[in-house]
Amino acid sequence: MLPSAPAGQPSATVTFLHEWKLAHLPPDTRPLPSVTPYDQLLRRRRASGGDHREGEAQ
C-alpha cells in the first residue's frame, strides 16, 4: 500500500521529463521535408537503363 499525503498537504504529481520538455519548447514552424531530390535520383536510375523492371530486385 502506498503512503498517503499527511492531512492538509496536497498530494504530489508526477511529471514525465519528455512531457515537460514538449510543453516548454516553442512550436516547430519549419516546413516539412521534401522527397523531391530522391524522386529525381530514382528517375535518373530508371532512365539510365537496365534490364530489370520497376519493383524487381537486382
Side-chain angles (χ1 to χ4, degrees), residues 10-21:
S11 61
T13 58
V14 175
T15 303
F16 293 98
L17 183 58
H18 69 274
E19 291 174 357
W20 183 88
K21 284 181 180 178

Side-chain angles (χ1 to χ4, degrees), residues 36-57:
T36 302
Y38 299 104
D39 289 340
Q40 292 172 357
L41 289 172
L42 290 173
R43 278 191 217 109
R44 265 192 229 138
R45 185 173 178 184
R46 268 189 234 131
S48 68
D51 294 335
H52 69 281
R53 283 181 271 158
E54 185 176 347
E56 287 185 354

Side-chain angles (χ1 to χ4, degrees), residues 2-12:
L2 295 174
S4 60
Q9 295 288 327
S11 61

Side-chain angles (χ1 to χ4, degrees), residues 22 25-33:
L22 289 175
L25 288 174
D28 188 359
T29 59
R30 296 175 294 178
L32 292 174

